[in-house]
Amino acid sequence: MNLPNKLTLARVIMIPFFVVFMLTGLGGSASKWVALAIFIVASLTDLLDGHIARKYNLVTNFGKFMDPLADKLLVCAAMICLVEMAKLPAWIVIVIISREFIISGFRLIASDNGRVIAASYWGKFKTTFQMLMICLKIADIAAISLLTDIVMWVALVLTVVSLVDYLVKNKDVLKEQH
């Protein structure tokens, strides 16, 4: 259990605390700010664990499996909370989660064929904008509501663009292997 894997596990452990502060109001008027702080810290562990794993050659099978799963759990939990709070349209969350299932399925098929598919720049931009969207939606600052909406639409467009890019670049994964 190296440092990157511990950071990944910490991210998973932070998710229920984030959800409690988002949905229960625990902490009163500060609850959304506590939830936002937890989300930001959890998001930063996502950047940090991958950087440390690559820099110090600490990449493990556990990390390869758990890191993207922890990321998806965090983002999906946050978006579902935002839908529950009527701050994010459910159909946008359905598009985003559907993209994640499709990509995960592709990666599973590729893995069965002995192939690893790395994340693309489109996928990294998508993740960055989704996390920024979530932060802005949690903060819910009226003075920047237009910016928040623009970031939401950019995150949605990048979600679709990254999916199309991924499918086009990896269409051969679906070809039957003999």
Side-chain angles (χ1 to χ4, degrees), residues 83-159:
V83 168
E84 172 73 15
M85 299 169 74
K87 292 184 178 188
L88 189 61
W91 73 268
I92 289 177
V93 176
I94 291 167
V95 169
I96 291 170
I97 291 174
S98 296
R99 182 248 185 230
E100 298 307 327
F101 274 105
I102 293 166
I103 299 300
S104 294
F106 249 75
R107 284 202 166 115
L108 186 61
I109 293 167
S111 175
D112 283 349
N113 292 326
R115 194 167 142 192
V116 175
I117 301 174
S120 71
Y121 284 109
W122 286 113
K124 291 176 193 238
F125 292 141
K126 176 255 332 165
T127 300
T128 300
F129 272 87
Q130 284 178 0
M131 290 184 168
L132 180 57
M133 170 193 72
I134 290 165
C135 289
L136 291 170
K137 289 287 189 179
I138 293 168
D140 195 22
I141 300 169
I144 59 169
S145 63
L146 178 61
L147 173 65
T148 301
D149 286 345
I150 290 168
V151 169
M152 177 186 71
W153 289 108
V154 170
L156 180 64
V157 168
L158 287 173
T159 297

Side-chain angles (χ1 to χ4, degrees), residues 1-10 48-49 52-53 56 58:
M1 186 56 60
N2 61 31
L3 179 58
N5 291 342
K6 288 177 183 174
L7 289 169
T8 297
L9 281 178
L48 198 55
D49 63 8
I52 292 169
Y56 296 103
L58 297 172

Side-chain angles (χ1 to χ4, degrees), residues 16-47:
F17 294 97
F18 166 78
V19 171
V20 165
F21 280 99
M22 278 292 287
L23 297 181
T24 67
L26 179 69
S29 62
S31 64
K32 80 173 181 180
W33 301 112
V34 173
L36 179 59
I38 292 170
F39 183 82
I40 290 169
V41 169
S43 297
L44 290 175
T45 67
D46 185 33
L47 290 174

Side-chain angles (χ1 to χ4, degrees), residues 2 4 50-60:
N2 61 31
H51 174 73
I52 292 169
R54 287 184 298 276
K55 183 174 181 177
Y56 296 103
N57 197 27
L58 297 172
V59 176
T60 64

Side-chain angles (χ1 to χ4, degrees), residues 57-89:
N57 197 27
L58 297 172
V59 176
T60 64
N61 286 335
F62 176 83
K64 287 180 194 174
F65 171 73
M66 276 305 295
D67 180 60
L69 181 60
D71 177 44
K72 286 171 184 43
L73 289 171
L74 175 65
V75 170
C76 288
M79 289 188 302
I80 291 168
C81 288
L82 290 166
V83 168
E84 172 73 15
M85 299 169 74
K87 292 184 178 188
L88 189 61

